[in-house]
DNA sequence: AAAGGACTTATTGAATACAAAATTGAGTAC
DNA sequence: GTACTCAATTTTGTATTCAATAAGTCCTTT
């Protein structure tokens, strides 16, 4: 099931933070999301214990927690392995994300401050500039910030936590898909124009639907990208490693 | 974060099932959801170990997993305690549920079979009969089945798992709220009429919005109920124990 | 008598140890 | 040369043990 109120903890350096468990979970999650462990590969308990400087007990507890999040799967008597997401899985994830984006849009309209709208509009214009100059990394970075700002404006920690959880899985894919499918970028930019418009008018139903459809569009782009990858390349993961974040 | 693809395992009786871990997690979750442990109370590791006939290691692993689901919280050096949901928490949960219901409606329209629609309509009529006769338990039971059927029709395991996760927390409250607020029942029935209509016409946007608004309505009813409980009674949990399921 | 502190006890958190299952490898038979 | 079997080793799953933190109680002091 879902961890729906976990406070996304920052990584600690050397100094102790709140709890060892939370730290290990956070570190391990990042370690997997960042792609250090190939999807489908088994998780080497021993190595990770040495890497994190802990014994097996806390590591295994962290594994169970992350399995509950869905990032890894537990095979009976065969340990844990990194979840491998099929295209169907990705579609499913995106659909749920679309629903969360819908609520975010709905609720943001009712709760967002004028200042926050102004801040988002500023980011929007900045993103547009990057779009025109085809600066994809910056474009993508601000794009993510805008979506995050709208989700935050909904002022719902449960929503934010779940959005972050799902988004962390597909973020990398979204970036890669952007790199390949340039047509989609124009559509996305137009959709963002509409989103800004609806947000400024605080039209809840409209913004919700726009954000839903926008995310669905992203899904199609990513799935197209995945299909291309699989047909032309037997090692579909290779390119993903290039993507920053 | 969210466990978003955990296969909801059945409880085992005496015979061994897939894995001990999954069993313990499932049993412990039910144990908490069923209200055997009061919200806010600390979780007695030793007792539960004896109860389930296991040692502390697998129990603690289960605790971490359920904490990741959000049902309990981990206090550093003070063990785990059952999450206490404030009205704000409930609102947040309902909002996310609304979003999931929205997607469920959207996707169900595209994917549901004619037979499934017929089956839902049959349930709908049955529910209406229970509504007229004021048979609340049966009404509520079929109501849940209808919503589940629509979610299932969306054919998205990630959505289903998350919906089940959130729903398990608010289900009990919804039932109790129904008992008290009879006015809401009439509204809900009318909304269900509209939902059936949109579903038969396979009008995706319409159904999505209807289900979203329907869930929002439930949220208001539940929050009203909670406020009533808190003002007139210092022990707001007492009544909840009456609710079957 | 009340408040503060120290000591005792219980509970949590992590490491180690042990048992059971699975994977790997080699050897043998076909 | 290939496939199957059996043993050995690694790895997983659980129990037990040990250390550290918190809570409760009793005693002392003002």
């Amino acid at each position: 099931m879902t961890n729906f109120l976990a406070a996304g903890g920052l990584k600690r350096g050397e100094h102790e933070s709140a709890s060892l468990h939370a730290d290990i979970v956070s570190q391990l999650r990042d370690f997997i999301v960042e792609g250090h462990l190939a999807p489908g590969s088994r998780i080497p308990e021993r190595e990770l214990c040495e890497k994190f400087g802990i014994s097996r007990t806390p590591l295994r507890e962290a594994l169970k927690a992350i399995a509950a999040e869905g990032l890894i799967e537990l095979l009976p008597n065969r340990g844990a392995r990194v979840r491998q997401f099929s295209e169907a899985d990705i579609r499913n994830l995106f659909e749920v994300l679309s629903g969360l984006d819908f609520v975010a849009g709905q609720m943001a309209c009712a709760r967002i401050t004028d200042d926050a709208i102004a801040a988002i509009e500023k980011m929007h214009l900045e993103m547009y500039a990057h779009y025109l100059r085809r600066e994809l990394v910056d474009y993508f970075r601000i794009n993510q910030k805008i979506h995050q700002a709208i989700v935050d404006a909904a002022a719902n920690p449960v929503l934010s936590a779940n959005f972050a959880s799902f988004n962390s899985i597909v973020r990398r894919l979204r970036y890669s898909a952007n790199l390949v499918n340039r047509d989609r970028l124009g559509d996305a930019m137009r959709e963002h124009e509409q989103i800004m418009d609806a947000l400024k008018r605080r039209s809840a139903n409209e913004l919700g639907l726009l954000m839903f459809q926008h995310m669905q569009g992203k899904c199609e782009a990513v799935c197209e990208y995945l299909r291309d990858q699989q047909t032309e390349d037997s090692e579909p993961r290779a390119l993903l490693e290039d993507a920053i974040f």
Side-chain angles (χ1 to χ4, degrees), chain A:
Chain A
M1 220 147 287
T2 297
N3 94 3
F4 43 72
L5 211 134
L10 298 171
K11 263 185 290 190
R12 65 167 175 180
E14 291 303 301
H15 58 294
E16 300 296 317
S17 87
S19 84
L20 177 65
H21 176 71
D23 283 340
I24 301 288
V25 168
S26 179
Q27 283 184 44
L28 187 54
R29 187 193 299 117
D30 290 346
F31 193 74
I32 294 166
V33 170
E34 282 166 15
H36 294 103
L37 268 55
S41 71
R42 277 172 60 176
I43 290 171
E45 288 187 7
R46 229 155 235 302
E47 279 181 39
L48 289 177
C49 286
E50 289 170 24
K51 183 171 185 59
F52 295 134
I54 54 174
S55 78
R56 282 181 60 220
T57 306
L59 181 83
R60 285 176 58 81
E61 287 178 352
L63 287 176
K64 309 289 184 189
I66 291 183
E69 293 176 12
L71 216 63
I72 64 177
E73 55 193 339
L74 266 27
L75 312 190
N77 293 320
R78 245 179 288 181
R81 84 157 56 135
V82 180
R83 268 287 297 283
Q84 178 123 253
F85 294 102
S86 66
E87 189 185 318
D89 291 328
I90 301 290
R91 287 197 110 88
N92 290 334
L93 285 166
F94 264 108
E95 280 180 15
V96 174
L97 257 176
S98 304
L100 299 182
D101 242 0
F102 173 82
V103 194
Q106 282 272 355
M107 298 307 161
C109 279
R111 295 170 192 161
I112 195 169
T113 64
D114 291 337
D115 286 351
I117 291 181
I120 291 176
E121 189 165 24
K122 194 167 158 243
M123 286 193 277
H124 176 71
L125 294 174
E126 207 179 325
M127 182 175 79
Y128 189 62
H130 289 308
Y131 163 72
L132 290 177
R133 296 191 220 112
R134 293 291 188 269
E135 294 158 352
L136 278 175
V137 175
D138 292 321
Y139 168 86
F140 189 69
R141 199 191 65 246
I142 297 183
N143 189 328
Q144 290 284 102
K145 277 177 70 176
I146 289 173
H147 281 278
Q148 190 64 54
I150 295 176
V151 171
D152 289 342
N156 181 334
V158 181
L159 178 66
S160 295
N162 274 86
F163 187 86
S165 167
F166 289 114
N167 197 41
S168 71
I169 295 171
V170 298
R171 194 180 50 180
R172 174 184 287 257
L173 286 169
R174 285 173 60 172
Y175 178 81
S176 303
N178 271 349
L179 283 178
V180 174
N181 190 341
R182 301 289 174 112
D183 298 342
R184 168 69 197 148
L185 223 56
D187 291 342
M189 200 60 234
R190 268 188 294 279
E191 286 164 16
H192 266 268
E193 289 285 353
Q194 294 181 289
I195 285 172
M196 270 319 301
D197 186 54
L199 179 63
K200 282 194 280 189
R201 287 184 286 108
R202 293 174 187 272
S203 175
N205 280 352
E206 198 181 336
L207 182 61
L209 277 172
L210 282 171
M211 290 189 69
F212 172 76
Q213 286 155 1
H214 179 63
M215 190 62 89
Q216 289 290 100
K218 294 251 181 187
C219 176
E220 288 310 318
V222 166
C223 287
E224 228 171 89
Y225 163 76
L226 281 177
R227 269 195 298 275
D228 288 353
Q229 286 305 104
Q230 286 196 324
T231 51
E232 76 184 36
D233 198 316
S234 61
E235 192 82 31
R237 288 288 156 184
L239 270 201
L240 296 184
E241 301 304 325
D242 302 336
I244 300 157
F245 297 55

